[in-house]
Amino acid sequence: MRKLVYLFTIILFVSCKNSEDVVSSVAAERGVIAEKAIVVSARKEASAIGLSILQKGGNAFDAMIATKMALAVSYPFAGNLGGGGFMVYRTANGETGALDYREKAPLLSSKNMYLDEDGNVLPQKSRLGAMAVGVPGTVAGIFETHERFGSMPIAKILEPVIQLAEKGFVITEKQQRNFIKYRQLFFEANQDTILFARTYAEGDTLKNPALAKTLKRLVKNGRAEFYEGETGEKMVNYLQEKGGILSMEDLEEYHTHWRDPVNVKFKNLNIISMPPPSSGGIVLGQILKMIEDFPLDEYGHNSLKTIQVLTEAERRAYADRSFYLGDPDYVDIPVDSLLSSGYLDRRMNTFSFEKATPSSSLEHGKIPGYESDETTHFSIVDQYGNAIAVTTTLNGAYGSKLYVEELGFFLNNEMDDFSSKPGFPNMFGLIGAEANAIAPGKKMLSSMTPTIIEKNGEFWMSVGSPGGSTIITSVLQTILNVSEFDMTMQQAVNAPRFHHQWLPDEILFEPSAFSEEILGSLRKKGYNINEGESTIIGKVDAILKLPDGRYEGGADRRGDDAAVGF
Ligand code: DON
């Protein structure tokens, strides 16, 4: 069947940019096809810079650093120096691993820091301005990656990024709309008109010379520039001036963690994904194991039965997320039990096609002995066979909106990913418990799900997405669209998505993408439908290895995302 789809799919090869046959732009039904290497990210400038590093002989890790920093320049919505993220990798010889460069709670933070005297949550405090900022991990993440896997000098890797910051990037229509949308909040957080709050038209070129200077100092002084040097000091001064609690001590104590990825077998696929402090790998793995025995391909893509099975598995997995998951350096997480087939079969025992399981009747599962919107993803495969999946974030759009003008970058509002108070939803409607309570130095629980998949022991897919709580289910559906529903990578990314996260007890649907017949049938079975509160669900960038050994990039139509390859 898959072969037939390939056969009838119209493949459009668009524009060869330079002599090396760079393929750019995206075809409707099938994404960009590349012979040897491919980069898919949220901006074409960033994808092109990543690819240029590969063309100079660099590897996927060198390209990761370049792409990531190019996103900080051209996609300040989520690309960052003032945030954090995760990388999952698989090297050409099959070694896999994960890097955690997630933000941390400042040392002066405390469990009830976002509550007023009466114990009520002050949601703005964890979202806007200086108190929302967690200790950034991005710069540590890129230097750690470079130290372990880099093959080119950092100066050479960052050269095109610095040029991009100096020469500028072209503002897209979506970007221009966002600058206007967030202008008032930029002003509230900074009490000043920052670079991105000025008036721009679509097509204008935006230069960020301050960021170019910061990047040059990073080249010169390395990681210490950010965690001990001038950049760190300027950032901390700015934060403290605006009422923040982050100090130089926080920066000095920051470190990344290499972690063992979550490994889950789903049919003939080996899913390699992000472990805690992200919930991504565990929740994705739980859902996949819970649905494994249902013949989704027979039910059909986005059919009533498929939606029911996925929804009920998602509901159960997110209930566990809320109770069990947090920073593994602070809480014990029963990872093996949560992913064991026996446990997950029991969780699905109460499922029936006749009727929805109300979330109010469902808690986290019982494990014996246990007490207790903005992000961006990119995927790269290089010509040597190394693959990476990276998701990085400031949390909300432009993070805390706090922008250090002198340094050229935004600071995150990742503190909102903690549970400010048990049962009180964060900006993604997620509720948490003790496991994800605030503590000094602790990492806030994430949903980011950078994932690499092997088939028959070889690289098969690299995938990930932004979207807060909807990241996990976006990644899930993208995988299933290819593995169960025979779609091309681009079709899998394009297909309409839905999402359930236990609480609120509703299925979120992308607007106007699901028939009234299906929605009506779901309502009759007791499902609450939310169609339209979110305009899009996830923004997936992914790479699939085709049977003939070439790669297909899937760049999400929902953004300005672009795949390029050679
Ligand atoms: O780590 C997390 O799960 C969130 N901070 C991700 C935020 C996000 O995806 C926003 N993008 N739409």
Side-chain angles (χ1 to χ4, degrees):
M1 177 62 189
R2 170 113 22 95
K3 287 207 181 69
L4 275 182
V5 174
Y6 286 149
L7 206 67
F8 293 118
T9 301
I10 304 161
I11 307 161
L12 293 179
F13 287 89
V14 192
S15 82
C16 291
K17 271 209 182 119
N18 49 38
S19 55
E20 280 155 306
D21 277 356
V22 173
V23 188
S24 72
S25 188
V26 172
E29 287 300 306
R30 209 204 253 198
V32 161
I33 305 290
E35 299 286 333
K36 296 194 185 99
I38 184 160
V39 182
V40 194
S41 85
R43 285 284 304 207
K44 68 175 191 291
E45 295 84 348
S47 298
I49 282 180
L51 196 74
S52 76
I53 296 295
L54 298 179
Q55 285 169 321
K56 286 177 200 148
N59 64 24
F61 300 95
D62 301 320
M64 174 273 196
I65 298 167
T67 306
K68 193 168 157 57
M69 289 297 101
L71 286 167
V73 176
S74 59
Y75 192 62
F77 194 68
N80 66 81
L81 271 75
F86 302 117
M87 170 174 73
V88 171
Y89 67 86
R90 181 184 185 279
T91 62
N93 62 16
E95 181 200 328
T96 61
L99 179 63
D100 158 11
Y101 56 96
R102 179 74 163 165
E103 299 92 324
K104 279 183 161 194
L107 293 166
L108 288 177
S109 62
S110 56
K111 186 170 171 179
N112 296 330
M113 65 191 273
Y114 298 123
L115 305 186
D116 65 14
E117 299 102 65
D118 302 326
N120 298 317
V121 177
L122 303 161
Q124 278 301 74
K125 205 172 170 189
S126 63
R127 294 178 194 170
L128 184 72
M131 283 302 283
V133 182
V135 187
T138 284
V139 173
I142 60 169
F143 280 100
E144 190 65 33
T145 302
H146 190 250
E147 203 175 304
R148 187 171 284 201
F149 291 113
S151 75
M152 275 168 71
I154 202 89
K156 211 166 162 195
I157 296 173
L158 292 185
E159 190 181 278
V161 183
I162 294 168
Q163 269 179 24
L164 180 69
E166 282 173 343
K167 292 194 179 144
F169 62 91
V170 174
I171 297 173
T172 66
E173 188 246 325
K174 289 191 174 76
Q175 221 159 15
Q176 192 246 358
R177 263 193 282 135
N178 274 326
F179 290 158
I180 293 172
K181 182 169 163 195
Y182 290 100
R183 182 175 291 160
Q184 182 55 30
L185 290 176
F186 291 153
F187 190 78
E188 269 177 49
N190 295 281
Q191 299 298 310
D192 207 349
T193 306
I194 63 166
L195 179 67
F196 300 98
R198 297 184 199 144
T199 309
Y200 299 105
E202 178 190 351
D204 281 357
T205 296
L206 201 157
K207 299 177 185 170
N208 191 340
L211 183 51
K213 278 193 201 147
T214 300
L215 291 168
K216 282 181 186 164
R217 287 198 307 275
L218 282 182
V219 168
K220 189 157 162 246
N221 302 322
R223 179 194 193 281
E225 170 61 30
F226 194 89
Y227 293 92
E228 295 161 49
E230 185 185 333
T231 299
E233 272 163 19
K234 286 193 163 141
M235 181 173 77
V236 165
N237 286 343
Y238 186 70
L239 266 164
Q240 293 188 348
E241 194 185 294
K242 300 290 172 203
I245 52 173
L246 206 147
S247 68
M248 283 312 285
E249 202 186 339
D250 281 307
L251 293 183
E252 279 152 27
E253 287 204 354
Y254 185 85
H255 50 266
T256 57
H257 285 96
W258 292 98
R259 300 198 187 269
D260 292 331
V262 168
N263 241 292
V264 172
K265 294 257 176 299
F266 173 70
K267 300 187 177 178
N268 62 344
L269 303 178
N270 185 25
I271 316 288
I272 301 153
S273 191
M274 197 63 212
S278 182
S279 61
I282 291 181
V283 175
L284 176 67
Q286 283 196 312
I287 298 171
L288 285 170
K289 296 301 271 181
M290 282 191 266
I291 65 174
E292 193 169 16
D293 293 335
F294 293 90
L296 298 187
D297 52 345
E298 283 172 25
Y299 303 158
H301 175 252
N302 283 352
S303 64
L304 179 62
K305 280 184 144 181
T306 294
I307 294 174
Q308 283 189 270
V309 171
L310 292 192
T311 296
E312 295 298 343
E314 289 170 6
R315 184 199 309 276
R316 286 157 175 80
Y318 276 80
D320 279 358
R321 176 198 195 275
S322 160
F323 183 77
Y324 286 111
L325 305 188
D327 182 347
D329 298 336
Y330 284 68
V331 289
D332 284 332
I333 302 174
V335 179
D336 293 342
S337 305
L338 286 170
L339 288 170
S340 76
S341 301
Y343 171 75
L344 293 169
D345 287 350
R346 285 197 299 282
R347 288 290 276 160
M348 276 305 261
N349 269 346
T350 48
F351 165 68
S352 144
F353 279 113
E354 298 308 310
K355 204 169 161 297
T357 311
S359 289
S360 55
S361 73
L362 183 93
E363 281 193 324
H364 58 85
K366 301 281 176 282
I367 291 179
Y370 183 86
E371 296 158 25
S372 117
D373 229 37
E374 289 304 308
T375 304
T376 188
H377 175 85
F378 58 96
S379 291
I380 300 178
V381 179
D382 69 19
Q383 62 276 32
Y384 312 110
N386 303 299
I388 60 123
V390 170
T391 314
T392 181
T393 190
L394 289 163
N395 196 25
Y398 311 100
S400 62
K401 324 297 185 262
L402 215 59
Y403 179 77
V404 197
E405 192 84 39
E406 214 184 333
L407 302 174
F409 60 84
F410 282 102
L411 294 164
N412 68 80
N413 58 350
E414 220 71 61
M415 291 296 284
D416 190 64
D417 274 349
F418 277 118
S419 170
S420 293
K421 184 179 173 177
F424 188 87
N426 74 0
M427 72 167 89
F428 301 107
L430 290 166
I431 61 169
E434 197 51 38
N436 191 32
I438 306 171
K442 187 175 172 186
K443 291 180 172 174
M444 51 299 274
L445 183 63
S446 172
S447 301
M448 293 190 283
T449 315
T451 300
I452 289 180
I453 303 174
E454 293 174 341
K455 192 176 191 172
N456 305 324
E458 293 196 2
F459 171 83
W460 185 63
M461 188 188 284
S462 170
V463 55
S465 178
S469 55
T470 67
I471 292 175
I472 306 169
T473 52
S474 298
V475 168
L476 167 80
Q477 287 168 85
T478 306
I479 298 169
L480 296 176
N481 287 348
V482 182
S483 78
E484 306 305 298
F485 303 117
D486 287 331
M487 293 189 197
T488 68
M489 191 74 261
Q490 189 62 52
Q491 288 170 328
V493 166
N494 285 351
R497 296 191 269 263
F498 61 92
H499 168 80
H500 196 293
Q501 62 179 44
W502 178 48
L503 294 172
D505 186 353
E506 61 181 27
I507 314 179
L508 184 65
F509 286 93
E510 285 193 290
S512 316
F514 291 79
S515 72
E516 202 29 63
E517 191 192 336
I518 288 205
L519 300 183
S521 305
L522 286 165
R523 278 193 200 97
K524 273 197 209 121
K525 288 176 188 290
Y527 290 95
N528 302 312
I529 307 295
N530 179 352
E531 196 198 14
E533 238 170 57
S534 139
T535 49
I536 62 168
I537 298 182
K539 200 158 69 70
V540 176
D541 284 336
I543 296 170
L544 178 70
K545 189 165 187 184
L546 302 176
D548 65 7
R550 295 183 301 166
Y551 298 102
E552 182 192 353
D556 207 316
R557 63 179 168 88
R558 296 163 181 82
D560 294 321
D561 304 44
V564 293
F566 67 77

